Amino acid sequence: MQTDAVRRAWREGLSVVVATSAYGLSFGALSIASGLDLWQTMVLSLVMFSGGSQFAFIGVVAAGGGIAGVASAAMLGLRNALYGMSMRRVVQPRGALLPVAAHVTIDESTAVALAQDEPRAQRTGFWVTGVGIWLGWNFATLAGALLGDLLGDPRQWGLDAAAAAAFVGLLWPRLKARQAVAVAAASAALAAALLPVLPAGMPVIVAAVVGVVVGLTNWLGPRHESALPDPGARGSGKGQHS
């Protein structure tokens, strides 16, 4: 029987799936416009499955660069490795599910999972969002690649803003403590400031490292914040951290 927390995880996960998957239309159309064919576009989307990395790759390819595109995409993809260290403890995948969980560990699945208050709801949010976006993103990519010229300039639709808005909507309720607000603001400002001077992907990584360091040291936060139990442990009677 599903609890209220699990039902909420389903609702939040599906809302993010819809917003993020629609953005795949833009990727499919832009990928074809950058010079990739249909099969290259689909393999890139199915296997890489990291929106920011994919857009960085086709952007550099369109500009005539090859190695730079791979490097930019790889740097952006590094953040998923950081997510994986936390999500493995939350999701606890085993056997054949381990590589599947690794593949769908992305910004959105991590955010939805960590926004939940119960372990079961966290796992539900992760799988619903991760698998749902993988399916929706690839169907949307195929549609965007096939329709191409009929869609016009996909960058004018604002689909990127819709995906970002859904992501921020998930994180906003968690920005209550002084440290969380300070880290979010500082990381955003730092990433924006570094955009003109660093290669694609690096500003995000630098900002993420700053956030991790501040979180681990509990800098800017009162001592009792570092002792708060992990949200995923609520209702389980355990103080384990994810």
Side-chain angles (χ1 to χ4, degrees), residues 125-146:
F126 174 84
W127 286 113
V128 168
T129 308
V131 175
I133 289 178
W134 187 84
L135 293 172
W137 176 269
N138 283 288
F139 277 118
T141 295
L142 178 61
L146 291 175

Side-chain angles (χ1 to χ4, degrees), residues 1-80:
M1 181 178 180
Q2 291 187 346
T3 63
D4 289 340
V6 171
R7 284 192 288 270
R8 188 185 72 173
W10 270 95
R11 289 195 301 271
E12 292 183 354
L14 290 176
S15 66
V16 173
V17 167
V18 172
T20 305
S21 296
Y23 194 22
L25 287 168
S26 181
F27 172 74
L30 290 174
S31 179
I32 297 297
S34 71
L36 275 66
D37 62 27
L38 176 62
W39 291 109
Q40 290 171 328
T41 296
M42 291 310 302
V43 169
L44 187 64
S45 193
L46 287 163
V47 177
M48 181 178 284
F49 186 52
S50 179
S53 298
Q54 293 177 222
F55 279 101
F57 182 84
I58 63 172
V60 176
V61 168
I67 300 299
V70 175
S72 298
M75 285 187 289
L76 276 169
L78 285 176
R79 71 191 189 279
N80 291 351

Side-chain angles (χ1 to χ4, degrees), residues 57-120:
F57 182 84
I58 63 172
V60 176
V61 168
I67 300 299
V70 175
S72 298
M75 285 187 289
L76 276 169
L78 285 176
R79 71 191 189 279
N80 291 351
L82 297 176
Y83 299 154
M85 291 186 287
S86 294
M87 297 315 299
R88 182 166 185 172
R89 291 191 289 271
V90 171
V91 182
Q92 299 178 351
R94 297 180 179 178
L97 287 179
L98 186 58
V100 178
H103 195 54
V104 299
T105 298
I106 54 176
D107 298 326
E108 293 80 5
S109 61
T110 300
V112 173
L114 295 182
Q116 311 310 314
D117 296 331
E118 299 178 359
R120 184 183 174 192

Side-chain angles (χ1 to χ4, degrees), residues 48 83 116 170 179 203 212 238:
M48 181 178 284
Y83 299 154
Q116 311 310 314
L170 279 172
Q179 176 176 304
V212 170
K238 298 180 181 179

